[in-house]
Amino acid sequence: MALWFATRAFGIVSLALFSTVMVLGLLTAGRRPPVRRRSRPAFVITGLHRSLSLLALVLLGLHIATNVIDNYVTIRWRDAVIPFISDYRPFWLGLGAIACDIALVVIVTSLLRVRLGLRVWRAVHWLAYACWPIAVIHGIGVGTDRKLTLIVSAACLIAVASAAAGRIAATGGTAAAGRHSTPPPPAGGSPAGGPPDQGSLDRLLDGRPAAVPAGQRLPGRDPAAFPGSPQGRSRGHDDGTRRPW
Amino acid sequence: MIADTTTTARLLKVAAGADYTAHTSLIGPLPLRGSVRPGRVGPLGPIVAAAGLRGRGGGWFPFARKMEAVAAATGIRPPVVVVNGMESEPLSTKDGHLLATAPHLVMDGAALAAEAIGADRVIIAVPAAAGDRPRLGPWLDDLAAERAARGVDPVDIVVAEGPKRYLSGQETALVNWVNGGPALPTTTRPFKKGVEGRATLVSNAETFAHLGLIGRYGPKWFRAAGTRDAPGTALLTISGAVVHPGVLEVPLGIPVQEVLRAADAIPDPAAVLFGGYGGTWLAGTDAAALTIDPESMKAAGAALGPGIIHVLPRDVPGLLRTAEIARWMETQGAGQCGPCRFGLRALSADLDRALRGDIAAADRLRRRLALLPGRGGCAHPDGTARLVTSALAVFGAALPGWQDSRRQDPGSRLSGGRGSGAGSAALRSGRRGSRVRR
Amino acid sequence: MTRQLRIDFIACEGAGLCAELLPELITRDEWGYPVVTDDTVPDRLRQHARQAERLCPKLALRVGRSSLSSA
C-alpha cells in the first residue's frame, strides 16, 4: 500500500518538476538582443533547467520502479517504455510510456548536445512540447486520486501556458542585412586621362619594349575595343544574379 | 611565343580577348599533364611550389599549399575549383580588366588547377551588374562554350553571376552563395567543405592567370621577375590624384615611386591608400619609401591587399574621405556578428562626432578600435578598423583635440591589425588571416 | 596538453553565459559580445570552460584540444 502512495507521489512531483523544467526552457528559448547588464546571471536559468530535468528524471525512475515493484497490480519494466502492452490500463499507461521514451531521448541528446550539434539537438528537443502534454494526460487518465492530480495538472498547465505565451509574444530582432548603397567614388583622376603608362615600366627594366611576335597586332588595352567584347545583355534572375545549375 | 623571359608585362601582353586562336598562337596550347589520383596534387604541384606563386586576391597565400590542402581534404567526391572574379573592393578594377582582356588565360589556369587536383568542375564567379563596366557573365559563358566545343578543357567551366556587394568576394561568402545561400560569410573553410560540401579551391582570377603562364613557361621564368618571397608580376589598380588611372602590371618589389610615376600622380601626395577600403593609409613620404610587395608593406604597417593604390587628392581631407568610406562599410556588413552589427555603426558615429570636435568621441573611438579586430564573423570589421586606425595615425593631427586626448593616455597604442593585448588572443582563435580574401 | 578557447563569432549571439562562467578568460564588450582576454585554458579552469561550452545557447564556444590553430 505504501508503494502505491509512493508511486503516485513520485508521479505528481516528477510532473511538477518537468513542468518547471518546461517553464525554464521557455524562458531561455528564442532570440533576444544581447543585454549588457543583467540583474541575474543567465547561466542560472539554463543551469537550473538542466539540473532539474535530471532530478525529474530520477523521480520519474522512482515512479516507474515503485510501480513495477508493487505487486498490487502487475506492471513490468518493459511496460514503462513500450507503450500499450501492459495488462493494467494499457491505454493510459501507454501514454506514460510514450512520454517516458520521449523524455529519455530528449535528455540523452541534451547530454550529448556539444557532440551532436545544434541542429540535430534542436530537432529532437522540440519533442519536449509533445512529451509534456502527454505526461499530463497520462497523469489525469491513469491516476486514481483524480482531484489532486487535476489540481496539480491545472497549476502546471497555467505555468507552462503563461511561459509559452510569453515566448510567442517576444519578437526576435532581425539583423540589418545591409542596405544596397553605392560606394563613395574615388575622387580625382578621370578615365579620359588614358590608362597608366605600362610601357614606361616595361622599358624601365629591360630597356626595350616587350617582345611581340612579328605580324601579331595586339588589341589595345581598352576592353571595349576588343572584337566580340562583352556587351550588356540581360539574362538570368530579376536581381541579375545567376547560378547556371 | 613569349621568348623574352625578362619581359615585365606578362599577363597584359597575352591579351587576346575572345579570340582563342590568337590566344594559343601567342603562347601555345593548354599544357595538360594527365589525370591524378584523388587526394594528391598532380605534376603541376611541384612546378607551382617552385614558382612560389602567391594568391593575388589580398591574402597572398602560397598557392601550392592551397592546392595541397584541398587535395588532402578531398573525400569521395571530387573537389571543385572556383575562380573568384567578384572583385568587390570598389577601388579595384584589375580582375574585371583581366577577365575582359585575357579571359582564356584565366580559364587556362583554372583548367590546369582543376586537372592537378582532380576537380570535376570550374566555376567562374563574376558580378552580375557592374554599373558602368561591361557585363562579363554572358560573354564569358560564350567563351567557355567555345572551349567546350573545341574540347580544350578536361573539365566543365560554368560562369555564375553573383550579387554586387562588398562581402560577395569573401571566399566563404562566395561559396555560401554558390551553394544557394546568401552571400554572407560562414565559419566553414572552403578547402575542407565548400561547394556542395566538397573540398573547394577558391582563388582570385589573377592567380589563375599567372598559373596559365607558369604551366607553359615554368618556375624559372616566373621567378625572373619579382622578389624571392613574392615572385612574379602583379596587377595593380591605381586611382585618385593621378592623370592616368587604371590597371598596371608590375614586377613585385618595384618601388612605389615608379608606379606613381607611370600613373603620373601628383608630386608629394599627402597620403596614399593601399589595399582598398579595408586597407591602410600611409603618409605620402612613408609610401614613397616602400616597394610593392606584401612583406615590405606589412613591415610598414600597411597591407598591399589586391593591389589597390589610391592617391589622396590635395583638396580632399583624408579624415572626411575615411568617414565616408567607414559609413559605407557599415552598410556592407553581414550583420551576423557583434562587431559588424554594433561595432561598425558605433565606429562611424564616433568618427563623425570626433570630426566635429567631440573629444569624448575621439576617446571612445580609440578604445573601440582596439576591440574590433579578430572578433567578427569575417575580417570585415578588421578591415574597417584598420582603415580608420591608419587614418587617425596619418591625419589625426587634424582632428580637434586628438593630440590632447592621446597625451592623456600615453599607454595606448593604435594597432593597425594584429596587435598585442586584448585583441590578439581573439585573433588567434579560429581564423588564419585578418584579410578578407577576394 | 593545453586547451584552447575558440568562438564561432557567427553563431554567437552575445548571450554572455560564457563570460559569467569563465570571467577569468572572457569578458563582454559594451554590446554584450565576448572578448577573449586569454584563449589558453589553465587546468584549474578546465571544468568551468567545459561547463561554459555546454551551456552556451548557440554552441559557439568550443574548448579545443591542440594549442596550434587549426588550418
mmCIF file of all heavy atoms in Angstrom, chain A residues 178 181 183-185 187-189 193-194 197-198 208 210 221 228 230 233 235 240-244, chain B residues 4 7 97 128 135 139 141-142 159-161 177 181 240 242 244 249 251 262 277 321 328 331 335:
data_model
loop_
_atom_site.group_PDB
_atom_site.id
_atom_site.type_symbol
_atom_site.label_atom_id
_atom_site.label_comp_id
_atom_site.label_asym_id
_atom_site.label_seq_id
_atom_site.Cartn_x
_atom_site.Cartn_y
_atom_site.Cartn_z
ATOM 1 N N GLY A 178 22.035 44.735 -44.284
ATOM 2 C CA GLY A 178 22.869 45.627 -45.094
ATOM 3 C C GLY A 178 22.092 46.206 -46.242
ATOM 4 O O GLY A 178 21.463 45.492 -47.002
ATOM 5 N N SER A 181 23.819 50.273 -51.277
ATOM 6 C CA SER A 181 24.115 51.685 -51.499
ATOM 7 C C SER A 181 25.384 51.750 -52.319
ATOM 8 O O SER A 181 26.166 50.821 -52.361
ATOM 9 C CB SER A 181 24.267 52.417 -50.169
ATOM 10 O OG SER A 181 25.221 51.771 -49.372
ATOM 11 N N PRO A 183 29.072 52.850 -53.278
ATOM 12 C CA PRO A 183 30.262 53.208 -52.523
ATOM 13 C C PRO A 183 30.723 54.601 -52.900
ATOM 14 O O PRO A 183 30.463 55.062 -54.014
ATOM 15 C CB PRO A 183 31.281 52.159 -52.953
ATOM 16 C CG PRO A 183 30.837 51.729 -54.300
ATOM 17 C CD PRO A 183 29.341 51.848 -54.320
ATOM 18 N N PRO A 184 31.394 55.274 -51.989
ATOM 19 C CA PRO A 184 31.936 56.583 -52.333
ATOM 20 C C PRO A 184 32.935 56.433 -53.465
ATOM 21 O O PRO A 184 33.813 55.583 -53.409
ATOM 22 C CB PRO A 184 32.608 57.055 -51.047
ATOM 23 C CG PRO A 184 32.752 55.845 -50.208
ATOM 24 C CD PRO A 184 31.693 54.890 -50.615
ATOM 25 N N PRO A 185 32.786 57.192 -54.496
ATOM 26 C CA PRO A 185 33.653 57.005 -55.652
ATOM 27 C C PRO A 185 35.043 57.550 -55.378
ATOM 28 O O PRO A 185 35.202 58.450 -54.565
ATOM 29 C CB PRO A 185 32.963 57.822 -56.743
ATOM 30 C CG PRO A 185 32.223 58.884 -55.996
ATOM 31 C CD PRO A 185 31.849 58.314 -54.660
ATOM 32 N N ALA A 187 37.937 59.879 -55.710
ATOM 33 C CA ALA A 187 37.992 61.248 -56.227
ATOM 34 C C ALA A 187 39.258 61.452 -57.026
ATOM 35 O O ALA A 187 40.276 60.818 -56.776
ATOM 36 C CB ALA A 187 37.934 62.245 -55.067
ATOM 37 N N GLY A 188 39.168 62.331 -57.982
ATOM 38 C CA GLY A 188 40.386 62.670 -58.732
ATOM 39 C C GLY A 188 40.654 61.690 -59.845
ATOM 40 O O GLY A 188 40.219 60.554 -59.816
ATOM 41 N N GLY A 189 41.360 62.093 -60.852
ATOM 42 C CA GLY A 189 41.739 61.220 -61.965
ATOM 43 C C GLY A 189 40.542 60.886 -62.829
ATOM 44 O O GLY A 189 39.516 60.488 -62.327
ATOM 45 N N GLY A 193 41.894 60.610 -68.987
ATOM 46 C CA GLY A 193 43.339 60.821 -68.951
ATOM 47 C C GLY A 193 44.090 59.684 -69.617
ATOM 48 O O GLY A 193 45.269 59.766 -69.850
ATOM 49 N N GLY A 194 43.361 58.577 -69.895
ATOM 50 C CA GLY A 194 44.008 57.435 -70.523
ATOM 51 C C GLY A 194 44.610 56.505 -69.493
ATOM 52 O O GLY A 194 44.789 56.868 -68.336
ATOM 53 N N ASP A 197 50.933 54.406 -67.818
ATOM 54 C CA ASP A 197 51.985 54.146 -68.789
ATOM 55 C C ASP A 197 52.690 52.823 -68.498
ATOM 56 O O ASP A 197 53.729 52.786 -67.836
ATOM 57 C CB ASP A 197 52.970 55.313 -68.732
ATOM 58 C CG ASP A 197 54.018 55.233 -69.846
ATOM 59 O OD1 ASP A 197 53.914 54.302 -70.683
ATOM 60 O OD2 ASP A 197 54.918 56.075 -69.854
ATOM 61 N N GLN A 198 52.110 51.737 -69.000
ATOM 62 C CA GLN A 198 52.723 50.428 -68.807
ATOM 63 C C GLN A 198 54.075 50.382 -69.489
ATOM 64 O O GLN A 198 55.031 49.780 -68.999
ATOM 65 C CB GLN A 198 51.790 49.343 -69.382
ATOM 66 C CG GLN A 198 52.320 47.937 -69.250
ATOM 67 C CD GLN A 198 52.356 47.460 -67.818
ATOM 68 O OE1 GLN A 198 51.342 47.423 -67.141
ATOM 69 N NE2 GLN A 198 53.541 47.087 -67.365
ATOM 70 N N ARG A 208 63.938 47.842 -73.427
ATOM 71 C CA ARG A 208 63.269 47.817 -74.721
ATOM 72 C C ARG A 208 61.839 47.304 -74.524
ATOM 73 O O ARG A 208 61.554 46.650 -73.546
ATOM 74 C CB ARG A 208 64.015 46.925 -75.703
ATOM 75 C CG ARG A 208 64.312 45.559 -75.156
ATOM 76 C CD ARG A 208 65.239 44.800 -76.096
ATOM 77 N NE ARG A 208 66.114 43.892 -75.396
ATOM 78 C CZ ARG A 208 65.728 42.787 -74.776
ATOM 79 N NH1 ARG A 208 64.498 42.440 -74.775
ATOM 80 N NH2 ARG A 208 66.574 42.020 -74.163
ATOM 81 N N ALA A 210 58.522 45.100 -74.689
ATOM 82 C CA ALA A 210 58.400 43.655 -74.609
ATOM 83 C C ALA A 210 58.344 43.055 -76.001
ATOM 84 O O ALA A 210 57.771 43.625 -76.911
ATOM 85 C CB ALA A 210 57.132 43.295 -73.848
ATOM 86 N N ARG A 221 44.394 48.074 -74.865
ATOM 87 C CA ARG A 221 44.027 47.559 -73.556
ATOM 88 C C ARG A 221 42.638 48.005 -73.115
ATOM 89 O O ARG A 221 42.201 47.678 -72.036
ATOM 90 C CB ARG A 221 45.065 47.969 -72.510
ATOM 91 C CG ARG A 221 46.087 46.856 -72.304
ATOM 92 C CD ARG A 221 47.192 47.227 -71.358
ATOM 93 N NE ARG A 221 48.133 48.157 -71.916
ATOM 94 C CZ ARG A 221 48.436 49.315 -71.336
ATOM 95 N NH1 ARG A 221 47.865 49.652 -70.213
ATOM 96 N NH2 ARG A 221 49.297 50.130 -71.886
ATOM 97 N N GLY A 228 34.186 41.389 -80.353
ATOM 98 C CA GLY A 228 33.386 40.492 -79.525
ATOM 99 C C GLY A 228 33.530 40.760 -78.044
ATOM 100 O O GLY A 228 33.471 39.849 -77.242
ATOM 101 N N PRO A 230 32.603 42.018 -74.241
ATOM 102 C CA PRO A 230 31.350 41.761 -73.523
ATOM 103 C C PRO A 230 30.354 42.885 -73.714
ATOM 104 O O PRO A 230 30.659 44.042 -73.494
ATOM 105 C CB PRO A 230 31.785 41.655 -72.059
ATOM 106 C CG PRO A 230 33.154 42.239 -72.010
ATOM 107 C CD PRO A 230 33.762 42.023 -73.336
ATOM 108 N N ARG A 233 24.053 42.376 -71.652
ATOM 109 C CA ARG A 233 22.933 41.559 -72.092
ATOM 110 C C ARG A 233 22.143 41.132 -70.874
ATOM 111 O O ARG A 233 22.720 40.863 -69.821
ATOM 112 C CB ARG A 233 23.447 40.322 -72.834
ATOM 113 C CG ARG A 233 22.952 40.213 -74.255
ATOM 114 C CD ARG A 233 23.495 38.984 -74.935
ATOM 115 N NE ARG A 233 24.940 38.950 -75.007
ATOM 116 C CZ ARG A 233 25.621 37.874 -75.420
ATOM 117 N NH1 ARG A 233 24.976 36.796 -75.762
ATOM 118 N NH2 ARG A 233 26.926 37.883 -75.475
ATOM 119 N N ARG A 235 20.200 38.556 -68.828
ATOM 120 C CA ARG A 235 19.967 37.111 -68.741
ATOM 121 C C ARG A 235 19.943 36.730 -67.278
ATOM 122 O O ARG A 235 20.772 37.201 -66.514
ATOM 123 C CB ARG A 235 21.138 36.371 -69.421
ATOM 124 C CG ARG A 235 20.723 35.086 -70.096
ATOM 125 C CD ARG A 235 21.910 34.237 -70.427
ATOM 126 N NE ARG A 235 22.598 34.662 -71.632
ATOM 127 C CZ ARG A 235 23.663 34.022 -72.129
ATOM 128 N NH1 ARG A 235 24.122 32.973 -71.529
ATOM 129 N NH2 ARG A 235 24.253 34.457 -73.219
ATOM 130 N N GLY A 240 19.508 40.043 -61.295
ATOM 131 C CA GLY A 240 20.672 39.993 -62.152
ATOM 132 C C GLY A 240 21.610 38.844 -61.847
ATOM 133 O O GLY A 240 22.419 38.467 -62.679
ATOM 134 N N THR A 241 21.512 38.270 -60.638
ATOM 135 C CA THR A 241 22.446 37.193 -60.324
ATOM 136 C C THR A 241 22.009 35.895 -60.996
ATOM 137 O O THR A 241 20.849 35.704 -61.325
ATOM 138 C CB THR A 241 22.517 36.947 -58.806
ATOM 139 O OG1 THR A 241 21.235 36.516 -58.353
ATOM 140 C CG2 THR A 241 22.899 38.214 -58.081
ATOM 141 N N ARG A 242 22.971 35.012 -61.207
ATOM 142 C CA ARG A 242 22.643 33.809 -61.971
ATOM 143 C C ARG A 242 23.542 32.674 -61.508
ATOM 144 O O ARG A 242 24.771 32.817 -61.479
ATOM 145 C CB ARG A 242 22.867 34.094 -63.463
ATOM 146 C CG ARG A 242 22.474 32.973 -64.406
ATOM 147 C CD ARG A 242 22.525 33.499 -65.843
ATOM 148 N NE ARG A 242 23.867 33.922 -66.180
ATOM 149 C CZ ARG A 242 24.737 33.177 -66.861
ATOM 150 N NH1 ARG A 242 24.398 31.982 -67.258
ATOM 151 N NH2 ARG A 242 25.947 33.628 -67.139
ATOM 152 N N ARG A 243 22.917 31.560 -61.139
ATOM 153 C CA ARG A 243 23.664 30.335 -60.890
ATOM 154 C C ARG A 243 23.180 29.330 -61.923
ATOM 155 O O ARG A 243 22.081 28.809 -61.791
ATOM 156 C CB ARG A 243 23.363 29.771 -59.493
ATOM 157 C CG ARG A 243 23.636 30.682 -58.325
ATOM 158 C CD ARG A 243 23.252 29.925 -57.060
ATOM 159 N NE ARG A 243 23.254 30.732 -55.880
ATOM 160 C CZ ARG A 243 22.237 31.497 -55.478
ATOM 161 N NH1 ARG A 243 21.155 31.583 -56.227
ATOM 162 N NH2 ARG A 243 22.315 32.184 -54.356
ATOM 163 N N PRO A 244 23.996 29.026 -62.930
ATOM 164 C CA PRO A 244 23.501 28.199 -64.033
ATOM 165 C C PRO A 244 23.509 26.712 -63.738
ATOM 166 O O PRO A 244 24.097 25.932 -64.462
ATOM 167 C CB PRO A 244 24.488 28.535 -65.151
ATOM 168 C CG PRO A 244 25.745 28.830 -64.427
ATOM 169 C CD PRO A 244 25.358 29.500 -63.143
ATOM 170 N N ASP B 4 61.091 36.212 -74.625
ATOM 171 C CA ASP B 4 61.856 37.119 -73.784
ATOM 172 C C ASP B 4 61.472 36.923 -72.319
ATOM 173 O O ASP B 4 60.425 37.360 -71.888
ATOM 174 C CB ASP B 4 61.563 38.563 -74.217
ATOM 175 C CG ASP B 4 62.472 39.545 -73.498
ATOM 176 O OD1 ASP B 4 63.063 39.166 -72.453
ATOM 177 O OD2 ASP B 4 62.585 40.673 -73.965
ATOM 178 N N THR B 7 60.657 39.942 -69.779
ATOM 179 C CA THR B 7 59.570 40.869 -70.063
ATOM 180 C C THR B 7 58.834 41.249 -68.787
ATOM 181 O O THR B 7 58.434 40.394 -68.012
ATOM 182 C CB THR B 7 58.562 40.218 -71.013
ATOM 183 O OG1 THR B 7 59.238 39.841 -72.187
ATOM 184 C CG2 THR B 7 57.466 41.188 -71.360
ATOM 185 N N HIS B 97 39.221 43.870 -65.630
ATOM 186 C CA HIS B 97 40.052 44.180 -66.784
ATOM 187 C C HIS B 97 40.711 42.914 -67.316
ATOM 188 O O HIS B 97 40.726 42.650 -68.518
ATOM 189 C CB HIS B 97 41.114 45.205 -66.371
ATOM 190 C CG HIS B 97 42.019 45.629 -67.467
ATOM 191 N ND1 HIS B 97 41.756 46.699 -68.298
ATOM 192 C CD2 HIS B 97 43.197 45.120 -67.887
ATOM 193 C CE1 HIS B 97 42.731 46.833 -69.178
ATOM 194 N NE2 HIS B 97 43.625 45.889 -68.959
ATOM 195 N N ALA B 128 27.153 40.345 -61.154
ATOM 196 C CA ALA B 128 26.044 40.361 -62.101
ATOM 197 C C ALA B 128 25.916 41.718 -62.776
ATOM 198 O O ALA B 128 25.968 41.835 -63.988
ATOM 199 C CB ALA B 128 24.739 39.998 -61.382
ATOM 200 N N ARG B 135 29.230 43.967 -68.830
ATOM 201 C CA ARG B 135 28.787 42.779 -68.112
ATOM 202 C C ARG B 135 29.514 41.556 -68.649
ATOM 203 O O ARG B 135 29.402 41.207 -69.809
ATOM 204 C CB ARG B 135 27.277 42.618 -68.279
ATOM 205 C CG ARG B 135 26.746 41.536 -67.407
ATOM 206 C CD ARG B 135 25.241 41.573 -67.375
ATOM 207 N NE ARG B 135 24.739 40.335 -66.822
ATOM 208 C CZ ARG B 135 23.481 40.123 -66.508
ATOM 209 N NH1 ARG B 135 22.602 41.067 -66.720
ATOM 210 N NH2 ARG B 135 23.109 38.975 -66.007
ATOM 211 N N TRP B 139 29.133 36.920 -71.694
ATOM 212 C CA TRP B 139 30.256 36.899 -72.627
ATOM 213 C C TRP B 139 31.219 35.754 -72.296
ATOM 214 O O TRP B 139 31.607 34.979 -73.167
ATOM 215 C CB TRP B 139 30.970 38.246 -72.555
ATOM 216 C CG TRP B 139 32.101 38.455 -73.492
ATOM 217 C CD1 TRP B 139 32.034 38.618 -74.851
ATOM 218 C CD2 TRP B 139 33.478 38.563 -73.143
ATOM 219 N NE1 TRP B 139 33.280 38.821 -75.368
ATOM 220 C CE2 TRP B 139 34.200 38.801 -74.332
ATOM 221 C CE3 TRP B 139 34.180 38.486 -71.950
ATOM 222 C CZ2 TRP B 139 35.580 38.951 -74.360
ATOM 223 C CZ3 TRP B 139 35.564 38.652 -71.978
ATOM 224 C CH2 TRP B 139 36.253 38.869 -73.180
ATOM 225 N N ASP B 141 30.495 33.162 -70.633
ATOM 226 C CA ASP B 141 29.723 31.953 -70.903
ATOM 227 C C ASP B 141 29.960 31.455 -72.321
ATOM 228 O O ASP B 141 30.208 30.274 -72.571
ATOM 229 C CB ASP B 141 28.235 32.297 -70.742
ATOM 230 C CG ASP B 141 27.533 31.241 -69.956
ATOM 231 O OD1 ASP B 141 28.191 30.250 -69.555
ATOM 232 O OD2 ASP B 141 26.324 31.390 -69.744
ATOM 233 N N ASP B 142 29.878 32.391 -73.285
ATOM 234 C CA ASP B 142 30.083 32.028 -74.685
ATOM 235 C C ASP B 142 31.492 31.508 -74.914
ATOM 236 O O ASP B 142 31.717 30.545 -75.652
ATOM 237 C CB ASP B 142 29.821 33.236 -75.592
ATOM 238 C CG ASP B 142 28.351 33.624 -75.583
ATOM 239 O OD1 ASP B 142 27.534 32.780 -75.187
ATOM 240 O OD2 ASP B 142 28.026 34.763 -75.967
ATOM 241 N N VAL B 159 29.889 29.645 -65.664
ATOM 242 C CA VAL B 159 30.030 31.026 -65.204
ATOM 243 C C VAL B 159 28.815 31.386 -64.361
ATOM 244 O O VAL B 159 27.681 31.176 -64.780
ATOM 245 C CB VAL B 159 30.142 31.994 -66.400
ATOM 246 C CG1 VAL B 159 30.277 33.430 -65.906
ATOM 247 C CG2 VAL B 159 31.328 31.627 -67.264
ATOM 248 N N ALA B 160 29.056 31.910 -63.181
ATOM 249 C CA ALA B 160 27.961 32.343 -62.313
ATOM 250 C C ALA B 160 28.101 33.837 -62.058
ATOM 251 O O ALA B 160 29.211 34.364 -61.988
ATOM 252 C CB ALA B 160 27.993 31.583 -60.988
ATOM 253 N N GLU B 161 26.962 34.515 -61.942
ATOM 254 C CA GLU B 161 26.991 35.954 -61.699
ATOM 255 C C GLU B 161 26.442 36.241 -60.314
ATOM 256 O O GLU B 161 25.261 36.030 -60.048
ATOM 257 C CB GLU B 161 26.162 36.670 -62.767
ATOM 258 C CG GLU B 161 26.732 36.498 -64.162
ATOM 259 C CD GLU B 161 25.840 37.111 -65.211
ATOM 260 O OE1 GLU B 161 25.932 38.338 -65.405
ATOM 261 O OE2 GLU B 161 25.055 36.374 -65.820
ATOM 262 N N TRP B 177 27.104 31.523 -51.311
ATOM 263 C CA TRP B 177 26.169 31.925 -52.366
ATOM 264 C C TRP B 177 26.104 30.861 -53.456
ATOM 265 O O TRP B 177 25.018 30.532 -53.954
ATOM 266 C CB TRP B 177 26.610 33.268 -52.960
ATOM 267 C CG TRP B 177 25.727 33.703 -54.072
ATOM 268 C CD1 TRP B 177 24.503 34.300 -53.973
ATOM 269 C CD2 TRP B 177 25.978 33.534 -55.475
ATOM 270 N NE1 TRP B 177 23.980 34.520 -55.232
ATOM 271 C CE2 TRP B 177 24.859 34.058 -56.165
ATOM 272 C CE3 TRP B 177 27.031 32.993 -56.212
ATOM 273 C CZ2 TRP B 177 24.773 34.058 -57.552
ATOM 274 C CZ3 TRP B 177 26.942 32.998 -57.600
ATOM 275 C CH2 TRP B 177 25.824 33.526 -58.259
ATOM 276 N N GLY B 181 22.888 29.744 -50.860
ATOM 277 C CA GLY B 181 22.589 30.577 -49.705
ATOM 278 C C GLY B 181 22.839 32.043 -49.985
ATOM 279 O O GLY B 181 23.094 32.431 -51.127
ATOM 280 N N GLY B 240 42.633 57.853 -57.971
ATOM 281 C CA GLY B 240 42.827 59.043 -57.149
ATOM 282 C C GLY B 240 43.506 60.155 -57.916
ATOM 283 O O GLY B 240 43.250 60.348 -59.101
ATOM 284 N N VAL B 242 45.707 60.981 -59.866
ATOM 285 C CA VAL B 242 46.665 60.568 -60.901
ATOM 286 C C VAL B 242 46.085 60.932 -62.260
ATOM 287 O O VAL B 242 44.870 60.919 -62.446
ATOM 288 C CB VAL B 242 46.954 59.044 -60.848
ATOM 289 C CG1 VAL B 242 47.522 58.641 -59.508
ATOM 290 C CG2 VAL B 242 45.706 58.249 -61.145
ATOM 291 N N HIS B 244 46.667 59.263 -65.054
ATOM 292 C CA HIS B 244 46.336 58.025 -65.774
ATOM 293 C C HIS B 244 45.898 56.929 -64.811
ATOM 294 O O HIS B 244 46.689 56.040 -64.469
ATOM 295 C CB HIS B 244 47.550 57.529 -66.554
ATOM 296 C CG HIS B 244 48.127 58.539 -67.507
ATOM 297 N ND1 HIS B 244 47.483 58.907 -68.669
ATOM 298 C CD2 HIS B 244 49.267 59.250 -67.466
ATOM 299 C CE1 HIS B 244 48.209 59.800 -69.306
ATOM 300 N NE2 HIS B 244 49.303 60.037 -68.597
ATOM 301 N N GLU B 249 50.590 46.388 -64.724
ATOM 302 C CA GLU B 249 51.226 45.153 -64.289
ATOM 303 C C GLU B 249 52.660 45.477 -63.904
ATOM 304 O O GLU B 249 53.400 46.072 -64.683
ATOM 305 C CB GLU B 249 51.213 44.108 -65.402
ATOM 306 C CG GLU B 249 51.830 42.787 -64.961
ATOM 307 C CD GLU B 249 51.649 41.695 -65.997
ATOM 308 O OE1 GLU B 249 51.150 41.988 -67.095
ATOM 309 O OE2 GLU B 249 52.021 40.541 -65.696
ATOM 310 N N PRO B 251 56.406 44.155 -61.768
ATOM 311 C CA PRO B 251 57.115 43.086 -61.073
ATOM 312 C C PRO B 251 57.071 43.398 -59.582
ATOM 313 O O PRO B 251 57.279 44.538 -59.168
ATOM 314 C CB PRO B 251 58.544 43.206 -61.610
ATOM 315 C CG PRO B 251 58.672 44.609 -62.056
ATOM 316 C CD PRO B 251 57.313 45.088 -62.450
ATOM 317 N N ALA B 262 54.445 56.158 -63.321
ATOM 318 C CA ALA B 262 53.798 55.605 -64.515
ATOM 319 C C ALA B 262 52.354 56.072 -64.614
ATOM 320 O O ALA B 262 51.812 56.206 -65.717
ATOM 321 C CB ALA B 262 53.854 54.076 -64.479
ATOM 322 N N TYR B 277 39.301 49.713 -49.419
ATOM 323 C CA TYR B 277 38.517 50.254 -48.320
ATOM 324 C C TYR B 277 38.764 49.500 -47.021
ATOM 325 O O TYR B 277 38.485 50.005 -45.942
ATOM 326 C CB TYR B 277 37.024 50.215 -48.657
ATOM 327 C CG TYR B 277 36.600 51.246 -49.663
ATOM 328 C CD1 TYR B 277 35.300 51.281 -50.137
ATOM 329 C CD2 TYR B 277 37.494 52.200 -50.155
ATOM 330 C CE1 TYR B 277 34.894 52.223 -51.065
ATOM 331 C CE2 TYR B 277 37.109 53.140 -51.084
ATOM 332 C CZ TYR B 277 35.802 53.150 -51.542
ATOM 333 O OH TYR B 277 35.395 54.072 -52.465
ATOM 334 N N ARG B 321 37.196 61.674 -46.086
ATOM 335 C CA ARG B 321 37.114 60.561 -47.038
ATOM 336 C C ARG B 321 36.983 59.253 -46.262
ATOM 337 O O ARG B 321 36.204 58.374 -46.615
ATOM 338 C CB ARG B 321 38.386 60.558 -47.877
ATOM 339 C CG ARG B 321 38.575 59.367 -48.740
ATOM 340 C CD ARG B 321 38.558 59.762 -50.190
ATOM 341 N NE ARG B 321 37.217 60.083 -50.607
ATOM 342 C CZ ARG B 321 36.545 59.399 -51.497
ATOM 343 N NH1 ARG B 321 37.106 58.369 -52.044
ATOM 344 N NH2 ARG B 321 35.348 59.752 -51.838
ATOM 345 N N TRP B 328 30.022 53.731 -45.437
ATOM 346 C CA TRP B 328 29.596 52.771 -46.458
ATOM 347 C C TRP B 328 29.907 51.340 -46.019
ATOM 348 O O TRP B 328 29.093 50.430 -46.201
ATOM 349 C CB TRP B 328 30.287 53.072 -47.784
ATOM 350 C CG TRP B 328 29.828 52.172 -48.880
ATOM 351 C CD1 TRP B 328 28.621 52.224 -49.523
ATOM 352 C CD2 TRP B 328 30.537 51.069 -49.440
ATOM 353 N NE1 TRP B 328 28.540 51.225 -50.461
ATOM 354 C CE2 TRP B 328 29.705 50.502 -50.431
ATOM 355 C CE3 TRP B 328 31.788 50.509 -49.204
ATOM 356 C CZ2 TRP B 328 30.097 49.396 -51.191
ATOM 357 C CZ3 TRP B 328 32.178 49.411 -49.958
ATOM 358 C CH2 TRP B 328 31.340 48.871 -50.937
ATOM 359 N N THR B 331 27.298 49.777 -43.988
ATOM 360 C CA THR B 331 26.124 49.251 -44.687
ATOM 361 C C THR B 331 26.426 47.921 -45.373
ATOM 362 O O THR B 331 25.523 47.193 -45.745
ATOM 363 C CB THR B 331 25.628 50.214 -45.779
ATOM 364 O OG1 THR B 331 26.598 50.250 -46.834
ATOM 365 C CG2 THR B 331 25.406 51.602 -45.233
ATOM 366 N N GLY B 335 25.961 41.642 -40.734
ATOM 367 C CA GLY B 335 25.036 41.673 -39.609
ATOM 368 C C GLY B 335 24.971 40.356 -38.870
ATOM 369 O O GLY B 335 24.002 40.063 -38.194
#
